């Protein structure tokens, strides 16, 4: 082997050196390229989940507002009736946006969850519009529906990989935006809706006052 190398011409020796260097760089180079490709794929997956999460958060906000307006109307406050009807239309538009954006993720679990939410909303909004549901039951069903919407947001973050963001800043940012803040606004929303119902009725039972106090303690 030594004699073979010695007998090589200058160009041959350079070619041999280049071949050895290429072999030495092949493994780490392949690992680097693979890692960068995986990062790019993960970033694309996260990006695909941003719009569904955004419209789902908007849906939660609008449903919370409809809950409060419904509480007032069902409690006898007719001044809120027009605003409630407008908010119902807003929720329906938001629902359509959620279903469309989730469809782009091509995840049957998310599609099925969005369908269940849409079905429950149609039943609930129809009952409120027809005044065929008492205020406390409306509150309970709205709250259960919003709980499903919050679970949907968490599922979106898992399916898209947003919840697995590798950098601490990005991880805690998504945790604040998609988990902690929605939970806080939901507690405040429940307080607002219950308060609207009690104000419209002009009275509150001891149990209702205790419930409001417990929600205030959570915040």
């Amino acid at each position: 082997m030594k004699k073979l190398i010695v007998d090589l011409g200058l160009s041959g020796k350079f070619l041999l050196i280049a071949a050895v260097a290429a072999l030495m760089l092949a493994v780490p180079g392949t690992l680097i390229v693979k890692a960068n490709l995986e990062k790019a794929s993960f970033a694309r997956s996260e990006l695909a989940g941003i719009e569904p999460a955004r419209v789902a958060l908007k849906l939660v906000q609008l449903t919370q507002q409809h809950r409060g307006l419904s509480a007032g109307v069902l409690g006898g406050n007719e001044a809120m009736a027009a605003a409630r009807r407008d908010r119902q239309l807003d929720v329906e538009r938001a629902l359509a946006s959620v279903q469309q954006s989730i469809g782009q993720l091509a995840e049957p679990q998310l599609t099925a969850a969005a369908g269940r939410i849409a079905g429950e909303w149609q039943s609930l909004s129809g009952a409120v519009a027809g005044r065929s549901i008492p205020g406390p039951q409306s509150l309970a069903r709205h709250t259960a529906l919003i709980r499903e919407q919050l679970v949907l947001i968490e599922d979106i973050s898992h399916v898209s990989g947003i919840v697995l963001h590798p950098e601490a800043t990005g991880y805690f940012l998504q945790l604040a935006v998609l988990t902690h803040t929605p939970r806080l606004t939901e507690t405040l929303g429940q307080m607002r809706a219950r308060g609207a119902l009690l104000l419209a009725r002009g009275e509150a039972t001891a149990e209702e006052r205790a419930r409001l106090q417990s929600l205030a303690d959570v915040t």
Side-chain angles (χ1 to χ4, degrees):
M1 176 63 72
K2 181 177 180 181
K3 184 177 184 303
L4 179 61
I5 295 174
V6 171
D7 291 342
L8 282 174
L10 186 60
S11 60
K13 291 178 180 178
F14 276 115
L15 286 173
L16 181 60
I17 292 173
V20 172
L23 288 173
M24 292 176 63
L25 293 174
V27 173
T30 300
L31 293 176
I32 291 173
V33 170
K34 182 181 179 182
N36 287 332
L37 289 174
E38 289 175 349
K39 287 182 180 179
S41 177
F42 184 79
R44 285 194 297 270
S45 179
E46 281 188 300
L47 186 61
I50 290 177
E51 180 61 13
R54 184 190 70 80
V55 294
L57 284 170
K58 184 64 175 178
L59 175 62
V60 168
Q61 180 187 39
L62 292 171
T63 307
Q64 289 169 334
Q65 293 173 4
H66 185 268
R67 175 179 55 192
L69 292 168
S70 297
V73 170
L74 294 174
N77 188 344
E78 290 299 324
M80 294 182 173
R84 189 214 63 79
R85 287 193 294 270
D86 291 341
R87 197 62 71 247
Q88 178 178 342
L89 294 176
D90 292 337
V91 172
E92 289 169 358
R93 284 190 287 266
L95 260 173
S97 297
V98 167
Q99 290 179 296
Q100 180 181 6
S101 62
I102 280 179
Q104 298 175 3
L105 293 176
E107 174 56 51
Q109 175 188 349
L110 296 179
T111 301
R116 288 193 300 271
I117 289 171
E120 171 59 20
W121 164 253
Q122 291 301 324
S123 173
L124 175 57
S125 61
V128 173
R131 312 286 181 97
S132 61
I133 183 173
Q137 186 178 347
S138 171
L139 280 173
R141 288 181 62 180
H142 272 92
T143 300
L145 180 60
I146 292 168
R147 190 179 303 117
E148 289 187 46
Q149 294 171 354
L150 293 175
V151 171
L152 178 64
I153 293 172
E154 292 184 5
D155 289 343
I156 290 172
S157 70
H158 281 84
V159 168
S160 63
I162 293 176
V163 74
L164 300 175
H165 193 85
E167 297 179 5
T169 51
Y171 173 79
F172 287 111
L173 175 62
Q174 65 82 26
L175 190 63
V177 172
L178 300 180
T179 302
H180 294 324
T181 301
R183 289 178 181 175
L184 175 60
T185 60
E186 171 54 9
T187 300
L188 295 174
Q190 288 186 40
M191 292 177 63
R192 182 172 61 249
R194 291 179 182 278
L197 179 60
L198 299 182
L199 287 173
R201 280 193 349 216
E203 60 180 1
T205 66
E207 181 182 354
E208 289 170 335
R209 295 186 186 200
R211 179 58 179 165
L212 274 178
Q213 184 59 53
S214 68
L215 289 172
D217 291 341
V218 170
T219 60

